[in-house]
Amino acid sequence: MRNPYDVLGVKRDASAAEIKSAFRKLAKKHHPDQNKDDPKAKERFAEVNAAYEIVGDKDKRGQFDRGEIDAAGKPRFQGFEGFGQRPGGAGTGGTGRTFRWSTTGGGGDPFGSEDILSEIFGGFARGAGTQGSRQAARGEDLSVTAAITLEQLARGEKARVDLPTGKTYEIAVPAGVKPGHVMRLAGMGRPGVLGGPPGDVLVTIEFVPHPIFRPDGDSLRVDLPVTLDEAVLGAKVRVPTLEGPVTITVPPNSDGSRPMRLKGKGLPKKGGGRGDLLVSLRIALPKGGDADLQKLMTQWREKGRYTARDEQSA
């Protein structure tokens, strides 16, 4: 697996905000829903997710930078290099620790193997000589990110989660979920040690930025350009929704100060149903200008028809 910084296209000293911004841009670019004709899009999307799971997590980023885990999030084996010999028969590990070689260990063990194992493994094998087995331990939890499009949420589709272990799960995203929400998949983390229970998978939900819609709770917001005559005289216009465009009526003398509301065209709500789509009108003037419009506006200004701002006293 490639270096996660290279995958996201950020420097090692990038801020958390810069990393999150890079992840969102790449997730949007490579999301399978946006690249249905590209068979390699899923691989690139999974690689971006895996990279963000490392450098997007403060603790894992620190572990990766220190060389404690690899690009897949797996612990690097440090080994026992550097063992030396001190005077008096004391062996020294690469960490500078001294291992005491006992000549009085019980059970006919002249080297005190239990003491040696306790020194090396920090007590992991403590009791091996007396109980005959090591202590069971719970498996490691895994943290992953699921990038979901607004269309997936609206359709109630499952989200794909790629784990560092190479496994892939599809999870049902609950209605009303918000970005940053963490879902726990019990028992799907790394296996336990010596019969211990497996860890969990913690899935952080992120929304893939949409080119048109902006989430606002259970609602969506969208800007709709209208011409000057449509705003003044009123008109029937097409407005996009997650399911496709629909026709709405723009009332005469619409100034865009208050959004128009399309009920049930937002995101799924926790208690059932859908939020609304809030449509903000944006008056668009002709590109490059229009001579007739400029003439009309000049006449309008000279007649002083109205003012858009309250007079402010000095």
Side-chain angles (χ1 to χ4, degrees):
M1 183 174 291
R2 289 196 296 153
N3 186 301
Y5 290 102
D6 294 339
V7 173
L8 297 177
V10 297
K11 298 180 179 178
R12 279 186 170 268
D13 59 354
S15 67
E18 291 172 331
I19 291 173
K20 188 171 186 176
S21 176
F23 163 71
R24 287 186 169 182
K25 289 179 181 178
L26 290 172
K28 176 182 176 182
K29 178 180 179 181
H30 298 302
H31 198 284
D33 275 6
Q34 311 294 336
N35 301 272
K36 295 182 179 179
D37 297 329
D38 186 353
K40 293 186 178 180
K42 289 185 178 180
E43 296 179 11
R44 291 193 292 267
F45 182 70
E47 185 180 42
V48 169
N49 268 317
Y52 185 65
E53 288 160 13
I54 299 296
V55 298
D57 182 280
K58 181 180 179 181
D59 294 334
K60 287 189 177 181
R61 182 181 182 183
Q63 291 177 315
F64 178 79
D65 290 345
R66 293 189 299 269
E68 297 172 4
I69 61 175
D70 60 18
K74 298 179 180 179
R76 293 182 183 274
F77 179 64
Q78 303 297 326
F80 301 104
E81 302 89 355
F83 278 90
Q85 189 73 20
R86 286 188 176 181
T92 305
T95 59
R97 297 181 62 184
T98 300
F99 298 99
R100 295 178 291 276
W101 299 81
S102 171
T103 58
T104 59
D109 183 358
F111 297 107
S113 58
E114 179 183 339
D115 291 337
I116 297 171
L117 290 175
S118 296
E119 290 281 358
I120 295 176
F121 295 110
F124 177 77
R126 187 172 295 128
T130 58
Q131 299 178 10
S133 63
R134 292 176 291 176
Q135 184 177 0
R138 182 178 180 274
E140 178 189 2
D141 288 343
L142 298 176
S143 297
V144 298
T145 301
I148 304 174
T149 66
L150 300 183
E151 287 83 358
Q152 283 179 294
L153 289 173
R155 293 191 296 260
E157 293 182 357
K158 292 185 177 181
R160 174 173 169 167
V161 177
D162 296 311
L163 304 184
T165 58
K167 294 182 179 180
T168 298
Y169 293 104
E170 286 192 343
I171 61 172
V173 181
V177 70
K178 302 296 184 293
H181 176 78
V182 178
M183 299 176 60
R184 181 181 292 272
L185 307 181
M188 294 187 179
R190 295 198 186 277
V193 178
L194 297 176
D200 300 336
V201 172
L202 305 178
V203 182
T204 301
I205 302 297
E206 290 286 353
F207 289 178
V208 175
H210 199 280
I212 299 177
F213 303 108
R214 304 183 303 277
D216 184 358
D218 295 324
S219 296
L220 291 174
R221 291 185 178 273
V222 64
D223 294 334
L224 180 68
V226 294
T227 61
L228 183 59
D229 61 289
E230 288 173 334
V232 174
L233 303 176
K236 290 185 179 295
V237 297
R238 301 281 278 174
V239 60
T241 73
L242 289 176
E243 291 79 20
V246 298
T247 300
I248 64 171
T249 299
V250 177
N253 299 317
S254 295
D255 60 7
S257 60
R258 300 181 65 180
M260 302 178 65
R261 186 182 297 270
L262 294 183
K263 291 187 176 296
K265 293 297 184 180
L267 297 175
K269 301 170 67 173
K270 185 176 182 179
R274 296 266 296 271
D276 301 333
L277 177 63
L278 305 177
V279 183
S280 296
L281 302 181
R282 297 289 182 260
I283 297 176
L285 298 178
K287 293 183 179 179
D290 182 278
D292 291 339
L293 180 60
Q294 290 177 346
K295 182 178 179 180
L296 175 61
M297 291 299 100
T298 299
Q299 296 173 353
W300 187 274
R301 177 179 291 178
E302 289 174 349
K303 292 181 180 179
R305 296 284 187 178
Y306 78 109
T307 179
R309 295 167 296 280
D310 295 332
E311 295 295 336
Q312 299 291 329
S313 59

